[in-house]
Amino acid sequence: MCGIFAVINDKKNNASQTIIEGLKKLEYRGYDSWGIAVKTKNKLVVEKHIGKIGNAQTFLPLSNIGIGHTRWATHGGVFDKNAHPHLDCNNQFAVIHNGIVENYLEIKEKLIKKNHKFLSETDTEIIAHMIEEELKNKDYSIDDLAKKVFKSFKKLAGSNAVGILDAKTETIIACRNGSPLVFGFDEKNNQYFLSSDIPALLKHTKNVYFLNDNEAVVLNKNFFQVYDLIKEIPKKINFEKINLKSSSAEKEGYPHFLIKEIDEQKKTILKTAEKNIFLIEKSLKYFKKAKKIIFIGCGTAYHCALLAKYLFAKNGFESDAYQANEFSAFSNLINKKTLIIAISQSGETADTILAVKSAKNKDAKIISIINNRGSTLERISDFFVPIYTGPEIAVVSTKAFTSQLIITYLLAKSLNFKQKEGLKNIKKLSKELNKWLNQSLKNKIIDLAKKLLKENHFYIIGKDLNYPASLEFALKIKETAYTHAEAFASGELKHGVIALIEKNTPCFVLASNDEHKNDIISSATEIKARNGKIFGIAPFESKIFDFFIQTPDIKELTIIPNIIIGQLLGYYLGIGKGADPDKPRNLAKSVTVK
Ligand code: M6R
């Protein structure tokens, strides 16, 4: 996944400055390298750098038009030469790209035979040369350019979003098929923007159009025009007004987005529930018609899917939960009576989208639970529930996860005619979080992180709802602190896992005040008998715990504070290890490639 940003008619005639600021907002999408191209009086000028954009500055010449990119490497290592924008042989067309061109090798071979010289190992570079080849020796208009760009784009296999800056006509053309692209229009200053996501646009305009698959937009200083890429005809569009403050994409005094977003859960959980009661009611008809209910997602979203399966079972409804990337193994079981609930923060995760598309081919109905409005998943779903948490910028998911979980909880309660009780519990959870998630808790976790900083392996156990909760707890530690953390169902211990326990091996025990409490304490006792060290995360104390962090007792929802401890511990361990909590190594916020 990568970030695309472009501007035309920059009001300060300083496009590179506007672009670098935009890229900084998109950096969560990829942070291996970055680059910018602007058009000066005579030519395209490009700069490229490896590493995070962080506090970087740009000194490109003044210009009112340019494109920029922040990269998450797929084809070609992390070198300056592989950073975008990429140029054709004559430095006429600059290209930025998000996605994978699956057939790039065969196209590249043909272009090489026609004497095109390639400077990078990327799939992206072929696009610049394809357009060059199409327009070779031609005196072209913007219309001609658009036709050739559309023609070239349609030859690309895979999910892609592309932006092209043409030096001659001073035009930017962007095409979308599978990867997100938003067009922003600042009417007051006649500025046009392109961005992979909303946060980078908020400072400039709230007036946006989410390009659909197979749409393109042509931007020139005098006009803009959206096109249907298949028919190659102009399209009338309506802009949407984005209801988000630009501060929602800022750290607002916090040292990192991650800790800001962990704290925000004090508000977001209740907001998600209250704003969605109507939609939840409306969605119930899909559940009533379904013979089979399946939750899917990847990573944290899959943990939410698994928790949903437990929550549904508790309310008397059978369902299944699959990692979207393993869905193909079960797709033969899908039919028109299947309801898929796809969970995704970004709504752009390729594995989830592919699974949804394959289920749609079998006439299954799709409900999605998403954060990013206008996403691909939203568009291909029969019904969607937006979680309204505002932008989640840290790569590690926290507030989006707990809000997605709250939706599945409310769905289960509503289907079981217990919506009021569910809402009451959510209000109690929110109230408790407001008291409990404070500096004194954070200080306690900081102390714990200091004690655990040198440990290489953590084990986490839980039973029932606390088992999927343990999986999510472990993922937070792995992603943010780069420490091996493995979660097990506590009952599995004796079946093999217990062989891993040595003297002082740190074992976290996640528990709630429920009927499984004694079972989990027994499992902890078995670990203790092998000299493991027990860190209890629960609403109740036990003499078996060597270290205890009390979480509020909110029945089934106790899993949320239990998981928040994992979010906080991951954050403080990561800081202690000198990691960047907002941009963990090797990760990208949404994985838009297979
Ligand atoms: O955007 P999505 O929710 O579809 O993303 C799915 C996973 O890639 C994501 O949850 C990932 O596991 C996060 N890094 C978790 O913190």
Side-chain angles (χ1 to χ4, degrees), residues 102 158-159 296 298 324-328 331 340 342 347-361 366 376-377 380 591-594:
E102 289 168 3
S159 296
I296 59 166
C298 296
N325 39 68
E326 280 295 312
F327 184 71
S328 56
S331 62
I340 303 281
E348 298 294 347
T349 299
D351 291 328
T352 309
I353 289 168
L354 281 173
V356 164
K357 285 186 175 162
S358 82
K360 270 178 86 88
N361 284 339
I366 315 291
T376 306
L377 196 53
I380 61 176
V591 185
T592 54
V593 292
K594 273 193 268 177

Side-chain angles (χ1 to χ4, degrees), residues 71 237 483:
R71 178 170 187 246
I237 58 160
T483 304

Side-chain angles (χ1 to χ4, degrees), residues 125-288:
E125 195 184 350
I126 60 153
I127 304 165
H129 294 275
M130 285 167 89
I131 300 164
E132 179 187 22
E133 184 61 30
E134 288 287 345
L135 290 165
K136 207 160 59 183
N137 307 325
K138 286 193 187 116
D139 184 22
Y140 57 87
S141 64
I142 297 176
D143 260 3
D144 302 327
L145 170 73
K147 280 195 187 114
K148 298 302 181 189
V149 168
F150 300 165
K151 183 176 169 197
S152 306
F153 183 76
K154 286 195 275 186
K155 287 185 182 158
L156 310 178
S159 296
N160 295 293
V162 167
I164 294 124
L165 166 58
D166 169 41
K168 181 183 165 236
T169 60
E170 300 194 344
T171 302
I172 294 174
I173 302 184
C175 307
R176 171 194 162 132
N177 185 18
S179 290
L181 210 46
V182 194
F183 165 39
F185 179 31
D186 163 21
E187 216 165 341
K188 192 169 147 223
N189 300 299
N190 195 34
Q191 296 184 105
Y192 307 138
F193 300 91
L194 281 171
S195 178
S196 295
D197 201 356
I198 293 294
L201 294 174
L202 291 176
K203 190 182 158 193
H204 307 287
T205 181
K206 307 247 159 85
N207 208 21
V208 302
Y209 177 73
F210 294 94
L211 267 85
N212 292 298
D213 279 349
N214 294 313
E215 279 184 356
V217 61
V218 176
L219 304 173
N220 177 270
K221 66 172 185 259
N222 302 314
F223 72 93
F224 73 83
Q225 181 63 60
V226 172
Y227 283 85
D228 176 325
L229 260 174
I230 306 286
K231 297 184 188 146
E232 297 194 7
I233 51 169
K235 255 183 116 162
K236 263 193 97 152
I237 58 160
N238 293 319
F239 285 98
E240 268 183 54
K241 279 262 175 286
I242 293 297
N243 187 16
L244 280 173
K245 290 194 208 127
S246 52
S247 60
S248 62
E250 305 289 341
K251 287 189 198 135
E252 293 183 301
Y254 283 89
H256 300 102
F257 282 108
L258 182 56
I259 189 71
K260 177 191 172 206
E261 288 161 8
I262 292 173
D263 258 5
E264 279 178 332
Q265 294 172 108
K266 289 188 268 192
K267 289 197 196 120
T268 48
I269 289 173
L270 187 58
K271 185 177 169 197
T272 301
E274 289 184 334
K275 285 195 83 157
N276 274 306
I277 287 301
F278 175 67
L279 281 184
I280 283 177
E281 283 291 321
K282 258 182 99 177
S283 73
L284 298 185
K285 64 172 192 266
Y286 290 96
F287 289 89
K288 286 176 187 155

Side-chain angles (χ1 to χ4, degrees), residues 310 460-464 467 487-501 519-520 523 526-527:
Y310 279 70
I460 301 114
I461 58 165
K463 187 170 175 64
D464 198 276
Y467 164 55
F488 301 103
S490 56
E492 275 292 292
L493 267 182
K494 53 190 177 296
H495 299 290
V497 180
I498 204 152
L500 295 167
I501 307 301
D519 268 4
I520 189 98
S523 300
E526 289 162 12
I527 297 174

